[in-house]
Amino acid sequence: MTKKLVTQAIMQCNEQGNKAFVPYIMAGDGGLQTLKKNILFLQEAGATAIEVGIPFSDPVADGDVIQQAGERALAEGVTLRKIMKELASFKEEVKIPLVIMTYLNPVLSYGLQSIAADCEASGVYGLIIPDLPLEESGLLKDALKDTEVALIQLVSLTSPTERIEAIAKAAEGFIYAVTVNGITGVRSSFTEELEGHLERLKAASSVPVLAGFGISTPEHVRTLGGLADGVIVGSAIVTALHEGDYEKVQTLINASKNQLTNS
Amino acid sequence: MTTETKGRYGKFGGQFVPETIMTALQELETAYEEAQLDPAFSKELDYYLKEFVGRETPLFFAERLTKHAGGAKIYLKREDLNHTGAHKINNSLGQALLALRMGKKKVVAETGAGQHGVATATACALLGLECVVFMGKEDIRRQELNVFRMELLGTKVVSVDKGSGTLKDAVNEALRYWVSNVEDTHYILGSALGPHPFPQIVRDFQRVIGDETRRQIVEHEGRLPNAVVACIGGGSNAIGMFHPFVDDQDVKLYGVEAAGSGISTGKHAAAIAGKQEGVLHGAYMYVLQDDDGFIQEAHSISAGLDYPAVGPEHCHLADIQRVQYDSVTDQQALEAVQLLSRVEGIIPALESAHAVYYAVQLAKEMKEDQLVVICLSGRGDKDMQTVRDALGGQSI
Ligand SMILES: Cc1ncc(COP(=O)(O)O)c(C=O)c1O
């Protein structure tokens, strides 16, 4: 299998002169029925792909905003199984690839073979599992071997060069470059070394590089988008959707358009 | 899961952590390997263990408890006599010295009962390290005085009201803090848990318990014990006690989990009894969880056993049946607190009382010329309020 669907979506977007914009949403925040509405809205608003977050009892890689959204979703009784079913129910209407972001334990509980078998029927073409680093990723990679589903790895820009290169070499779909030392959440500034780090990463990688963690303003989207192939925006989108501020979401997405000249 | 990676105990263990922590874990692994090879490091640790902690701790023949049980001779390994009142200081001190060696100026830790928090606050005060401890809101309520102790020692205690507001949530917060401050901060994990190399580091710093016991029992009795019993929260006192005996097939090892209100009620902390495998806090272990893979809250009268998983090495020792794991309820532990207090003049921690209860039952079934050692992991001062409330608040 080529596992190219997510990669292609990003490259096509880049070819049209835009940076990729991948919003993160917490599935089930506001009830499971909002999932379809939010996904179709984001697709319409110009998202390149959508990262669908699965709530978890112990989200160690997440900051306050996403933790709270997760707790709201858990209170709604949302689970990975319910989300996969719901996604499958309106798959025909979704034209952009969905990527699921979940911690490992719900996936183990769902079953590695089962999730591999079910993803495509739900329109899911990528999995991001923050507590599954390269060293531990073998089993899931095996399970996904005969599918179109990419196992997307995160890379920390402060990691040693050899490690970054090893991850880049094994990368599928895109590389999720963590732009800050820390957890998800809103940040006011990024380190100055970021530019060099992202450039080295792009050079080492055969798949697109998206920058994520802490991107929260149109300004961030422009700056970091300019340094990478696109951005992932989490906490700011989650907050805006929670507050029903669709205009803010649109403004963020718009900031990723027409900006290939920057890079 | 059988992926070949570092820090595996059979199929358990591993490094299931966010990428942002991987570099810190590798740095820790290297620093620890170097420290192990450096005689100056163990010399310094030994110095503090002797002069500051008060090691070695006695292996005490519990004559009246033995009579009470009416079977095997019972010995108590007196970890309760350590400075700060439990075995936790063995690990905190070792890791604080390691932090200094790595050039880190700050330490973060989690705590449940507050024992590990107090031990870490103490080691940090001793060595001049800045310390912040995350503690569940519920535990802060249960262990008010330990919070005050930590503050008196110059540590900042941060209340965690996320999730269930207990130990697992405090670990989540400590991990988040560590990821965000990894450049100048070391994480002193308090039990034989977490991603590699933590389970190994914690075990190595706790194995002084088992090493001393092995030597002391031979001094007293001229032979090894027939059985060794320890309570299991995350598993640090137990693994430290068991490890030097693992190759002695004639020494039976017993780990005692907290059965809370009873395994059948679902309100317990006995992850091995629960038999469900999963990943929590960076390691593949037996974990209490529901059908969707969400981690469940643990329940025990003793805050120190109130964790929904058991360290990976224990999971493996359970799997290969080298150690037998059983459980003891809140009520039984309370009985043991009273029993040991009355017949030996030693008030045990509620955690340790689980081991005491189990060992007394075990001794009854054994012959009079056989030997049982209990790891008395801590003293009961911290639990007086809880025990009094549980006994109905009356004078006894
Ligand atoms: C006295 C005492 N014993 C046992 C434990 C349980 O921890 P572990 O299983 O890591 O020894 C604790 C934890 O706080 C404790 O304070």
Side-chain angles (χ1 to χ4, degrees):
Chain A
M1 289 282 156
T2 57
K3 302 190 187 290
K4 291 232 163 87
L5 254 121
V6 180
T7 312
Q8 272 163 5
I10 296 167
M11 285 168 59
Q12 255 169 32
C13 168
N14 287 169
E15 277 157 23
Q16 288 160 5
N18 302 319
K19 290 297 181 174
F21 189 101
V22 179
Y24 169 100
I25 59 174
M26 175 57 76
D29 184 10
L32 196 56
Q33 69 283 356
T34 60
L35 188 57
K36 177 175 175 183
K37 187 175 130 213
N38 284 340
I39 287 178
L40 296 181
F41 163 72
L42 290 165
Q43 168 171 279
E44 193 58 33
T48 315
I50 298 170
E51 193 182 335
V52 180
I54 311 296
F56 184 49
S57 51
D58 295 81
V60 283
D62 285 307
D64 284 338
V65 170
I66 293 180
Q67 282 178 50
Q68 280 158 17
E71 288 195 7
R72 292 193 295 267
L74 286 176
E76 299 274 353
V78 171
T79 65
L80 179 55
R81 280 189 189 86
K82 289 184 186 166
I83 292 162
M84 292 294 283
K85 252 202 187 138
E86 178 71 9
L87 291 176
S89 76
F90 60 93
K91 179 190 185 260
E92 301 309 324
E93 293 169 65
V94 182
K95 312 292 178 218
I96 55 177
L98 303 179
V99 171
I100 280 197
M101 135 95 203
T102 172
Y103 289 87
L104 182 58
N105 207 54
V107 175
L108 293 175
S109 176
Y110 194 103
L112 297 179
Q113 297 305 331
S114 312
I115 193 114
D118 293 352
C119 274
E120 288 175 53
S122 295
V124 173
Y125 295 97
L127 290 176
I128 301 176
I129 305 191
D131 53 351
L132 192 69
L134 183 66
E135 286 81 351
E136 306 283 1
S137 63
L139 266 197
L140 187 52
K141 258 199 168 155
D142 276 355
L144 295 173
K145 186 167 79 241
D146 297 324
T147 70
E148 274 294 343
V149 185
L151 184 58
I152 293 158
Q153 291 289 344
L154 287 93
V155 78
S156 162
L157 295 174
T158 50
S159 296
T161 317
E162 317 85 74
R163 181 166 182 83
I164 293 182
E165 281 169 359
I167 294 172
K169 224 174 108 191
E172 298 175 354
F174 62 85
I175 293 181
Y176 191 143
V178 179
T179 46
V180 291
N181 245 351
I183 50 183
T184 59
V186 173
R187 299 285 192 299
S188 53
S189 65
F190 298 89
T191 67
E192 282 157 23
E193 303 105 57
L194 201 58
E195 187 167 351
H197 283 315
L198 280 168
E199 235 148 59
R200 272 193 296 279
L201 182 56
K202 275 172 68 171
S205 159
S206 57
V207 294
V209 173
L210 302 193
F213 277 37
I215 300 176
S216 56
T217 65
E219 164 91 64
H220 288 161
V221 173
R222 271 188 292 273
T223 325
L224 287 159
L227 300 173
D229 299 309
V231 293
I232 299 163
V233 181
S235 300
I237 296 280
V238 168
T239 303
L241 289 178
H242 178 55
E243 290 168 355
D245 190 350
Y246 295 93
E247 219 169 289
K248 167 120 194 257
V249 176
Q250 188 68 65
T251 315
L252 283 162
I253 297 182
N254 288 347
S256 67
K257 305 299 174 196
N258 300 316
Q259 60 141 304
L260 264 202
T261 40
N262 295 12
S263 72
Chain B
M1 306 252 311
T2 49
T3 324
E4 265 313 305
T5 46
K6 274 184 293 190
R8 288 283 172 166
Y9 304 89
K11 63 181 169 183
F12 298 101
Q15 292 183 305
F16 296 91
V17 293
E19 179 59 26
T20 37
I21 303 188
M22 283 304 284
T23 310
L25 290 178
Q26 282 161 0
E27 182 196 2
L28 177 60
E29 199 180 330
T30 309
Y32 181 59
E33 277 166 12
E34 284 168 11
Q36 275 179 306
L37 296 173
D38 180 359
F41 182 78
S42 45
K43 200 171 153 208
E44 193 177 19
L45 178 58
D46 289 348
Y47 166 78
Y48 284 118
L49 285 178
K50 175 162 184 274
E51 304 292 338
F52 184 72
V53 176
R55 298 205 76 91
E56 66 180 38
T57 59
L59 182 68
F60 177 67
F61 172 46
E63 196 174 345
R64 298 192 65 221
L65 186 65
T66 300
K67 263 206 199 98
H68 171 89
K73 284 176 87 170
I74 302 173
Y75 279 86
L76 303 173
K77 179 58 174 167
R78 299 289 309 275
E79 290 301 300
D80 60 315
L81 292 178
N82 285 328
H83 180 39
T84 70
H87 68 293
K88 297 282 177 188
I89 189 82
N90 301 331
N91 169 52
S92 296
L93 197 55
Q95 285 204 54
L97 287 170
L98 199 56
L100 276 184
R101 224 186 129 85
M102 289 190 289
K104 310 250 165 168
K105 304 206 160 35
K106 296 182 191 161
V107 156
V108 58
E110 84 294 339
T111 196
Q115 287 307 102
H116 173 60
V118 168
T120 303
T122 299
C124 288
L126 172 73
L127 299 173
L129 289 158
E130 220 178 282
C131 180
V132 51
V133 169
F134 288 92
M135 188 167 181
K137 194 175 165 186
E138 182 57 22
D139 290 333
I140 286 187
R141 190 187 59 73
R142 288 196 280 194
Q143 302 285 339
E144 233 178 309
L145 279 178
N146 270 342
V147 175
F148 183 67
R149 265 186 204 116
M150 287 184 268
E151 287 172 348
L152 205 54
L153 290 159
T155 279
K156 187 174 156 205
V157 180
V158 182
S159 171
V160 179
D161 59 3
K162 290 165 180 162
S164 52
T166 61
L167 179 56
K168 83 175 173 67
D169 307 285
V171 175
N172 291 340
E173 270 313 276
L175 279 167
R176 290 185 189 110
Y177 181 91
W178 192 35
V179 184
S180 306
N181 296 277
V182 75
E183 263 138 53
D184 63 351
T185 305
H186 173 59
Y187 179 19
I188 302 191
L189 192 54
S191 191
L193 295 166
H196 176 71
F198 281 111
Q200 183 198 341
I201 292 179
V202 177
R203 176 197 71 205
D204 292 353
F205 286 139
Q206 291 294 1
R207 76 168 274 162
V208 62
I209 305 173
D211 285 335
E212 285 179 7
T213 300
R214 209 166 192 281
R215 183 162 37 72
Q216 290 167 317
I217 193 79
V218 172
E219 279 164 21
H220 286 297
E221 298 280 349
R223 62 197 159 105
L224 293 180
N226 300 87
V228 177
V229 183
C231 69
I232 310 265
S236 70
N237 85 88
I239 202 72
M241 175 56 114
F242 293 166
H243 208 258
F245 293 104
V246 163
D247 291 333
D248 300 304
Q249 293 300 333
D250 293 340
V251 180
K252 292 213 170 89
L253 305 173
Y254 298 89
V256 185
E257 297 191 282
S261 314
I263 303 283
S264 60
T265 65
K267 290 207 171 303
H268 63 85
I272 292 180
K275 286 202 177 72
Q276 288 202 71
E277 299 168 15
V279 165
L280 178 66
H281 300 142
Y284 192 69
M285 303 175 284
Y286 287 113
V287 182
L288 298 177
Q289 56 188 303
D290 67 14
D291 293 342
D292 290 296
F294 297 144
I295 309 304
Q296 284 179 323
E297 265 176 71
H299 295 273
S300 168
I301 190 168
S302 76
L305 303 185
D306 218 348
Y307 182 77
V310 168
E313 192 163 3
H314 284 292
C315 297
H316 179 57
L317 291 169
D319 241 28
I320 61 170
Q321 298 183 1
R322 173 62 188 95
V323 177
Q324 185 176 328
Y325 294 87
D326 270 308
S327 60
V328 156
T329 64
D330 289 350
Q331 278 313 319
Q332 293 168 330
L334 279 166
E335 258 178 55
V337 167
Q338 297 171 80
L339 174 65
L340 195 68
S341 301
R342 286 189 198 170
V343 303
E344 293 292 351
I346 297 170
I347 301 178
L350 273 168
E351 292 80 8
S352 323
H354 286 72
V356 172
Y357 182 89
Y358 190 82
V360 168
Q361 307 311 309
L362 190 67
K364 283 182 182 164
E365 308 291 314
M366 293 168 64
K367 296 197 210 76
E368 282 178 20
D369 62 351
Q370 292 189 303
L371 310 172
V372 179
V373 174
I374 303 173
C375 185
L376 202 71
S377 54
R379 64 177 182 234
D381 306 38
K382 69 181 174 61
D383 297 321
M384 288 304 89
Q385 189 67 43
T386 310
V387 172
R388 189 168 68 172
D389 290 351
L391 296 178
Q394 320 114 356
S395 48
I396 298 166

